[in-house]
Amino acid sequence: MNKSVLALVCSLMAYLGITLPAMAAIPYISASTGIGMLNDSRIGSIVARSYDTATPFTGAFGIENGPIRLEAEAGQRKNSVTSSPAAISMRTVMANGYLDLGLPFSQVKPFAVAGCGLATIDEHNGRVVAGDTVLAWQVGAGAGYALNPLVNIDLQYRYFEATTPQLAGYRYSMGGHNLLLGLRFDL
């Protein structure tokens, strides 16, 4: 199912990337941080690792066109392995698509988000022990609050998953939940 969701999200992003340039668009930049909770990693049905909560950081450049936004996003996070000196760091590059569900005469705009891209995942134990770059996808929802016509505060939830990275000879499941608070500035 994960590959089907990834293929669907990437196909939708490609379609929107072709059709949106014909319309007027407003560029924006955004930055966010929050709480990142990775699910326990599994090798088959065995729980191989549990992780502590991390603080993810993301930055993005995008184009807003009516109810649709497309953006390129870079992210960074580092989760410690519970009861271990090891940690997992993740750098992501994602293409995200948003659908803003504007309410008439409201400063609050709910939205849905989906994205696909790459995740570089490294295992640390004082130094990089193992690493892998894999495909990744995310889906989520949130709401933006317009402080003024050019500045928005966004609060969002995202589910993120990377396609089984191989670290130190084992293929792990890697996914989790993120709660993000961010600022978005129209340029």
Side-chain angles (χ1 to χ4, degrees):
M1 175 173 151
N2 294 342
K3 290 181 182 179
S4 299
V5 171
L6 182 62
L8 178 65
V9 168
C10 289
S11 298
L12 179 61
M13 300 283 295
Y15 171 75
L16 291 173
I18 292 168
T19 59
L20 278 183
M23 303 180 199
I26 301 168
Y28 68 87
I29 57 171
S30 68
S32 62
T33 188
I35 299 170
M37 300 162 282
L38 283 177
N39 297 334
D40 292 344
S41 285
R42 297 181 176 277
I43 301 174
S45 62
I46 299 168
V47 172
R49 295 184 166 163
S50 295
Y51 302 98
D52 296 333
T53 302
T55 304
F57 296 97
T58 65
F61 174 78
I63 300 213
E64 178 179 349
N65 193 334
I68 296 175
R69 289 185 278 142
L70 293 177
E71 71 179 24
E73 174 191 85
Q76 169 71 38
R77 69 185 297 152
K78 187 173 185 178
N79 291 77
S80 298
V81 177
T82 305
S83 303
S84 169
I88 297 291
S89 69
M90 194 178 319
R91 293 176 312 282
T92 57
V93 177
M94 306 291 286
N96 297 323
Y98 289 81
L99 178 61
D100 289 322
L101 309 167
L103 303 173
F105 309 108
S106 176
Q107 289 180 289
V108 176
K109 284 187 181 177
F111 58 80
V113 60
C116 61
L118 296 173
T120 299
I121 301 167
D122 294 321
E123 181 177 348
H124 301 269
N125 195 359
R127 60 181 176 80
V128 174
V129 177
D132 197 5
T133 299
V134 294
L135 293 175
W137 60 272
Q138 60 188 359
V139 293
Y145 177 78
L147 294 175
N148 64 49
L150 300 176
V151 180
N152 288 277
I153 295 176
D154 292 336
L155 178 63
Q156 62 183 299
Y157 163 81
R158 292 183 186 176
Y159 178 78
F160 171 88
E161 189 162 317
T163 56
T164 58
Q166 183 170 337
L167 303 172
Y170 296 100
R171 289 212 168 270
Y172 290 94
S173 63
M174 189 70 60
H177 309 274
N178 299 296
L179 185 60
L180 301 169
L181 181 64
L183 285 173
R184 182 167 28 106
F185 302 94
D186 289 348
L187 302 176

